Amino acid sequence: EEALEWWYYTGHLQDEEGRWYGFEHVFFLMEYGGQPAVMAHHALTDDSGETFEYNVKYGALETSLPETGFNFSLQGLTLQGGGGKDTLSGKAGPYALNLSLEDPNFPVVHHGNGYQAYPFGGYTYYYSRPRMTVSGTLMVGEEQRNVEGLAWFDHQWGDLTQATNQGWDWFAIQLED
């Protein structure tokens, strides 16, 4: 177990009528007061509706993690999976997502081998799945919309205390090719 670990999804979705949405769904596993704790973020941007909604939850880790993969549930936000086949659900404002994500390819390991020691202290293990296919449903109030799209997944863990103290800028670009 590491001091900080996260499973981070960002993606673009389109419904059957051509409307576009962006989403973020993240679970952080950390230590708080000497106990394992979880923080979850869920956000949705409705491009055509010009709306942004988000939901942030905090709580104790109530179940142990499986030996392989991951399985989280925190106050209505969920995340399960591993090996490139994941599911997530979340609600923010009038929007509720239920998505299946899949990547048949091997993950991309960062820094050549998935490990980096920081010169200012600490280390990280890090890999991504930059082109996960996504399908599922988006509820907008009582209306269900089928959605499809692409997502980027990052999984990072390690001794990131010094890195979080230093701060960093992070962005992702997903090009067609």
Side-chain angles (χ1 to χ4, degrees):
E1 271 185 48
E2 303 295 341
L4 180 61
E5 185 168 5
W6 60 74
W7 297 258
Y8 202 114
Y9 298 82
T10 55
H12 298 100
L13 304 169
Q14 190 172 32
D15 69 18
E16 294 168 313
E17 294 187 17
R19 293 175 287 222
W20 284 96
Y21 309 89
F23 76 93
E24 174 198 46
H25 195 81
V26 187
F27 271 82
F28 298 90
L29 180 60
M30 64 200 82
E31 200 172 285
Y32 184 77
Q35 299 296 318
V38 179
M39 179 173 58
H41 293 180
H42 177 80
L44 189 121
T45 300
D46 180 343
D47 188 54
S48 61
E50 297 182 355
T51 304
F52 173 75
E53 297 283 350
Y54 67 94
N55 191 355
V56 178
K57 300 292 183 186
Y58 304 90
L61 179 64
E62 296 179 358
T63 60
S64 60
L65 292 176
E67 292 224 4
T68 61
F70 44 90
N71 187 0
F72 293 104
S73 181
L74 181 65
Q75 303 171 38
L77 302 178
T78 67
L79 177 61
Q80 296 89 29
K85 291 187 178 186
D86 309 334
T87 60
L88 62 85
S89 64
K91 186 172 186 338
Y95 300 93
L97 273 179
N98 288 295
L99 300 177
S100 296
L101 302 95
E102 187 168 350
D103 182 4
N105 301 309
F106 289 106
V108 177
V109 295
H110 292 243
H111 314 293
N113 62 2
Y115 175 82
Q116 179 179 0
Y118 293 115
F120 46 78
Y123 59 90
T124 186
Y125 296 95
Y126 199 172
Y127 70 89
S128 297
R129 292 184 177 277
R131 297 191 71 79
M132 295 191 84
T133 59
V134 184
S135 62
T137 60
L138 169 65
M139 296 295 295
V140 181
E142 298 298 317
E143 180 188 352
Q144 179 175 305
R145 300 175 184 174
N146 295 322
V147 293
E148 292 184 344
L150 285 175
W152 182 294
F153 167 67
D154 280 329
H155 183 199
Q156 187 171 9
W157 66 100
D159 179 3
L160 294 159
T161 304
Q162 292 302 317
T164 56
N165 289 341
Q166 293 271 338
W168 65 87
D169 292 325
W170 179 91
F171 70 93
I173 289 180
Q174 192 173 56
L175 303 173
E176 286 185 21
D177 64 353

